[in-house]
Amino acid sequence: MTDLLQLPLLLSLTLGERLALMGVVLFVLLTSVAYTVYAERKIAAAIQNRIGPNRVGFDLIPQLGFLKGLAGLGQPIADVLKLLFKEDVVPSASNGFYHLLAPMISLFAALTTIAVVPVAAGLVIADVDIGVLYILAITSLGVYGLTLAGWASNSKYSLLGGLRSSAQMISYEIAMGLSVVSVVVIADSLSMTKIVESQTANPLYWNCFRNFLGFICFVVASFAECNRAPFDLPEAEQELVGGYNTEYGSMKFALFFLAEYANMIVASTVIATLFLGGYQVPFWSDAPWWLQVGAFVTKTLFMMFVFIWVRWTIPRFKYNQLMDLGWRKLLPLALFNLLLIAMGVLIFEA
Amino acid sequence: METVSFILFSFLGALVMVGSIGTVWSRNPVTSALFLVLNFFALGGIYLLLEAQFIAVVQVIVYAGAIMVLFLFTIMLLNLDDEQALKEKFDLQKGFGILLGGVLLVEVLYILGLKINLPQKSTTLTPVEIGEAKNIGRELITNFLFPFEIVSILLLLAVVGAIVLAKKNFSPNT
């Protein structure tokens, strides 16, 4: 056991171990969604000088009585229970099958991306050679969930929300893809593990410093891909009621909610992997695997905090500003960065 | 391993067939488009079975992820619920379709029936290596540079054409 805790885990996993890892990763992801919502409400409250949720404890279970009202930590569980017991209302004018399919696609896309993200050296559900492309492929499928939700609801607000989300995702995918290319050029590989290895344990070699412009482009584009503020036009309350999820209630709404937060967490893990050195522990290249997992989780939590922080401090864009930023600022910037990186690689490698 | 890949191939092949038949058969344009997405997705899976991971993923990114989203976008924006509204006025297109389909059918039957030896390219690479992005990229910009550039120019022309069509009257201020 001590050997297992100290060796850097570099051997490839068997199928059973991969499945076990998948179970663990999905469990952590799904439970952390609930507490990300809680964290978001608490951080938002702090930013707006409020208290935030502070009532729901674990009063119902006598053994946990000492947790009564503990900083509202029971709030996420109460919210989930409430959504579970609500009536599932399907609008009579909607297209029932697609109405049901849309949240499923959203959640599918959010949860399958995590498969290629390495949580420690060698500890990855599927270490495919084209990991980065796989991530781009799956995120580009996620847009069907929102678009279909908008169409199937047969409501003008939903349709506008769905159309906005698809236009936005197509536009920002290009800048995102180009900044990923710059990362691939530096790492000389499409595999996520090799990209992390190429960043070494020295924080100065992490891509957020070596490839600063690419980092900025990727982070902005992933905000847009996650439909998070300041890019949350698909669900702009003031104009579109709830956007694509206007006609959704109970568990189906919960699935969208789950997908949105799972997307945010997965985007944080991808940013951490591509730009913040992934599982690399600073200045310790062969750290034990549990420390690497710790480093990875810390970086992910930091990026999640940035996501929440930005949402509650920056106002929403107008639609023309969104398109202008995507096509006329971010895209040229990403192209310029790619040129710069390619030249840098040529000069330093020669 | 053989049986696993056979089962996977049967499953994906069935999906491809369901997808293509559904695309042609369904009355609703959105359903039609989604069947096409299913088709592309399953086709990507078949590429994966052939060890061509790069092509598989590119298939999903380009066709399922980008082109079909635009299709769906257009269908929803135009709200094409009524199939009758789409009916062609003249049958030239239909005739051309039958002609093209017939040519393809004859080709396939020719190859199957005469058991022609398909051109075998000799290579020292294993199938997995051929499928790698690095090798595909190297081939594209060395041995196949000319066709590659021609295709790029074709795509560029399509983009320029789209802009010309969208912006019918050019004025310096717009």
Side-chain angles (χ1 to χ4, degrees), chain A residues 116 126-137 180 184 189-195, chain B residues 48 51-58 61 131-134 136:
Chain A
V116 293
D127 191 14
V128 287
D129 285 341
I130 41 150
V132 180
L133 289 178
Y134 170 84
I135 287 180
L136 286 180
V180 166
V184 172
S189 172
L190 291 166
S191 145
M192 294 293 265
T193 312
K194 281 182 188 142
I195 288 174
Chain B
L48 263 189
E51 313 273 3
Q53 354 176 307
F54 180 71
I55 295 177
V57 174
V58 167
I61 294 180
E132 274 177 6
K134 207 170 238 173
I136 292 179

Side-chain angles (χ1 to χ4, degrees), chain A:
Chain A
M1 197 60 203
T2 44
D3 285 353
L4 192 69
L5 279 173
Q6 273 157 7
L7 282 174
L9 219 130
L10 273 170
L11 29 119
S12 57
L13 304 173
T14 63
L15 184 66
E17 284 167 333
R18 277 174 209 282
L19 287 176
L21 181 65
M22 184 177 81
V24 172
V25 167
L26 282 184
F27 178 75
V28 171
L29 188 64
L30 288 175
T31 43
S32 56
V33 163
Y35 279 90
T36 311
V37 179
Y38 173 77
E40 169 138 45
R41 291 177 68 179
K42 272 291 185 191
I43 293 172
I47 288 173
Q48 296 175 343
N49 212 0
R50 294 185 283 117
I51 295 172
N54 69 342
R55 293 290 154 136
V56 188
F58 295 91
D59 306 20
L60 279 177
I61 310 163
Q63 282 80 8
L64 292 171
F66 60 95
L67 287 173
K68 189 173 179 186
L70 185 80
L73 271 172
Q75 187 73 47
I77 298 165
D79 286 345
V80 170
L81 282 178
K82 185 196 81 173
L83 284 166
L84 265 175
F85 286 116
K86 277 205 157 189
E87 187 194 351
D88 178 26
V89 182
V90 181
S92 56
S94 71
N95 185 326
F97 176 67
Y98 292 130
H99 195 260
L100 178 65
L101 184 70
M104 291 181 183
I105 297 179
S106 275
L107 195 61
F108 158 79
L111 294 185
T112 38
T113 318
I114 196 87
V116 293
V117 177
V119 287
L123 208 59
V124 48
I125 299 171
D127 191 14
V128 287
D129 285 341
I130 41 150
V132 180
L133 289 178
Y134 170 84
I135 287 180
L136 286 180
I138 297 294
T139 44
S140 67
L141 287 180
V143 65
Y144 284 109
L146 309 192
T147 317
L148 269 184
W151 180 78
S153 300
N154 205 358
S155 140
K156 58 190 167 196
Y157 300 121
S158 305
L159 184 67
L160 278 174
L163 289 179
R164 279 185 182 189
S165 79
S166 51
Q168 175 176 329
M169 285 180 124
I170 293 172
S171 308
Y172 279 79
E173 228 159 52
I174 301 171
M176 189 180 215
L178 281 173
S179 43
V180 166
V181 172
S182 66
V183 171
V184 172
V185 167
I186 293 181
D188 196 26
S189 172
L190 291 166
S191 145
M192 294 293 265
T193 312
K194 281 182 188 142
I195 288 174
V196 174
E197 289 297 328
S198 79
Q199 297 181 59
T200 71
N202 183 350
L204 279 179
Y205 282 97
W206 291 355
N207 280 334
C208 58
F209 300 113
R210 281 199 297 185
N211 186 2
F212 182 70
L213 285 178
F215 176 55
I216 299 291
C217 286
F218 189 86
V219 170
V220 173
S222 31
F223 274 85
E225 294 280 315
C226 292
N227 290 315
R228 291 277 302 186
F231 301 105
D232 59 345
L233 287 124
E235 42 188 326
E237 296 89 358
Q238 293 86 344
E239 310 152 31
L240 297 179
V241 190
Y244 59 86
N245 58 26
T246 306
E247 305 292 340
Y248 281 86
S250 75
M251 228 23 225
K252 285 186 198 159
F253 173 75
L255 283 186
F256 274 125
F257 207 63
L258 200 62
E260 190 192 325
Y261 278 88
N263 258 329
M264 184 183 115
I265 298 174
V266 171
S268 302
T269 63
V270 173
I271 295 172
T273 309
L274 293 183
F275 292 97
L276 301 178
Y279 54 73
Q280 300 276 10
V281 183
F283 306 113
W284 193 6
S285 52
D286 35 41
W289 65 272
W290 50 272
L291 213 58
Q292 292 185 332
V293 174
F296 176 73
V297 171
T298 312
K299 290 166 187 172
T300 307
L301 286 178
F302 171 71
M303 275 323 295
M304 279 159 62
F305 173 71
V306 173
F307 265 87
I308 294 170
W309 185 19
V310 166
R311 173 164 179 193
W312 294 98
T313 42
I314 297 179
R316 182 184 299 136
F317 282 115
K318 285 195 294 184
Y319 199 72
N320 59 336
Q321 291 172 327
L322 172 95
M323 285 296 157
D324 190 61
L325 180 74
W327 288 101
R328 287 160 73 178
K329 303 210 168 63
L330 221 50
L331 178 61
L333 189 66
L335 267 175
F336 173 70
N337 174 58
L338 181 58
L339 194 72
L340 221 62
I341 294 292
M343 278 181 354
V345 168
L346 270 184
I347 292 166
F348 285 111
E349 307 244 309

Side-chain angles (χ1 to χ4, degrees), chain B residues 13-79:
Chain B
L15 272 188
V16 168
M17 270 152 66
V18 169
S20 5
I21 293 172
T23 308
V24 186
W25 213 281
S26 45
R27 297 255 132 178
N28 186 330
V30 172
T31 313
S32 207
L34 286 175
F35 268 120
L36 198 54
V37 174
L38 179 72
N39 182 3
F40 288 147
F41 203 67
L43 202 58
I46 288 184
Y47 284 140
L48 263 189
L49 281 181
L50 295 171
E51 313 273 3
Q53 354 176 307
F54 180 71
I55 295 177
V57 174
V58 167
Q59 161 88 14
V60 174
I61 294 180
V62 174
Y63 289 101
I67 293 181
M68 284 318 292
V69 173
L70 276 179
F71 261 76
L72 209 60
F73 189 85
T74 318
I75 292 172
M76 287 178 185
L77 209 59
L78 298 179
N79 209 7

Side-chain angles (χ1 to χ4, degrees), chain B residues 151-173:
Chain B
V151 171
S152 316
I153 290 172
L154 198 66
L155 285 175
L156 183 68
L157 283 179
V159 172
V160 173
I163 292 173
V164 169
L165 282 177
K167 257 188 159 178
K168 273 183 188 135
N169 43 351
F170 280 94
S171 67
N173 294 326

